[in-house]
Amino acid sequence: MITIRREAPSDREAVRLIHELAFGRQDEAEIVDALHESNVALLSLVALYADLPVGHIMFSQVRVGEESCIVEGMGLGPMAVLPEYQRKGIGSALVESGLNILKDDSCPFVVVLGHPKYYPRFGFEPASNRGIKSQWKGIPNDVFMIRVLDEDRMKDVHGVARYRDEFS
Ligand SMILES: CC(C)(COP(=O)(O)OP(=O)(O)OC[C@H]1O[C@@H](n2cnc3c(N)ncnc32)[C@H](O)[C@@H]1OP(=O)(O)O)[C@@H](O)C(=O)NCCC(=O)NCCS
């Protein structure tokens, strides 16, 4: 059975390995480490199978808007599931748990740069539908997505979504 809980300091090594094996490179593991080291407000969850971490998702601060109207929400990612545990619903459970926690915490939105066939099932839509674009040039509209959690606070918000510097 899979359980989801907040990441603990003792999970750090396992989390790093999950990203390295799932992505086949170091980049995402390094972003995760850099975010931890910055001591910023994060939501970091692990999925456990038989008490072992097999999946991980991280959410970190993203700001959207122009000078007079900047709203803070979260960016989803990196997320990874160990290759042999993929396609069993673990990634979905991590996304849904994260969105539920953030909604309860009054987070107004979550953005993600990801596969356009995967994230719409969780209510994500192209951010361009709401006049919100990625800080990175050349990103196709359908891969930069937003899930609005508080429509009232996002009503007149548009402009560039900026992730933390650890993503640069
Ligand atoms: C993306 C990832 C986290 C999904 O985790 P998961 O536990 O396999 O996901 P789930 O079992 O909940 O969902 C599986 C669904 O995701 C789809 N999916 C998984 N990876 C996908 C990808 N890279 N592109 C498109 N669809 C993908 C599968 O086709 C499957 O769809 P289906 O339900 O219609 O068959 C996992 O595949 C992974 O770690 N991939 C490598 C790292 C990565 O690309 N991370 C995401 C970017 S931050």
Side-chain angles (χ1 to χ4, degrees):
M1 204 184 91
I2 297 294
T3 52
I4 309 277
R5 64 156 168 74
R6 286 177 192 260
E7 186 190 342
S10 56
D11 298 322
R12 288 282 289 277
E13 281 296 308
V15 163
R16 187 174 175 95
L17 197 61
I18 291 169
H19 286 279
E20 287 175 356
L21 292 174
F23 286 99
R25 59 183 191 189
Q26 309 281 319
D27 305 39
E28 289 75 14
E30 279 166 13
I31 291 173
V32 169
D33 281 349
L35 286 165
H36 274 307
E37 274 149 35
S38 312
N39 263 331
V40 290
L42 299 168
L43 175 60
S44 189
L45 302 175
V46 287
L48 306 175
Y49 181 80
D51 284 339
L52 291 176
V54 295
H56 174 251
I57 192 167
M58 193 168 243
F59 298 83
S60 60
Q61 184 194 63
V62 168
R63 293 181 167 166
V64 173
E66 313 297 350
E67 276 167 29
S68 57
C69 178
I70 291 181
V71 176
E72 262 179 30
M74 289 292 220
L76 185 167
M79 162 168 81
V81 172
L82 282 177
E84 60 270 38
Y85 290 90
Q86 290 176 8
R87 299 193 170 216
K88 298 180 194 303
I90 298 173
S92 299
L94 284 165
V95 174
E96 276 160 7
S97 299
L99 292 176
N100 286 337
I101 292 170
L102 291 172
K103 187 156 196 208
D104 287 349
D105 285 352
S106 305
C107 173
F109 70 86
V110 176
V111 287
V112 67
L113 185 61
H115 201 284
K117 287 211 167 75
Y118 186 59
Y119 292 97
R121 68 187 72 184
F122 310 110
F124 284 86
E125 59 177 310
S128 58
N129 288 357
R130 293 171 177 265
I132 294 171
K133 57 186 176 185
S134 164
Q135 73 196 83
W136 295 293
K137 307 272 179 247
I139 303 281
N141 278 347
D142 60 344
V143 305
F144 188 62
M145 292 165 271
I146 189 164
R147 167 76 199 277
V148 170
L149 299 174
D150 184 337
E151 286 289 350
D152 287 347
R153 283 171 67 197
M154 294 305 290
K155 205 164 46 158
D156 297 316
V157 178
H158 45 79
V160 178
R162 294 190 189 284
Y163 282 69
R164 288 191 50 88
D165 289 346
E166 288 81 356
F167 284 86
S168 298

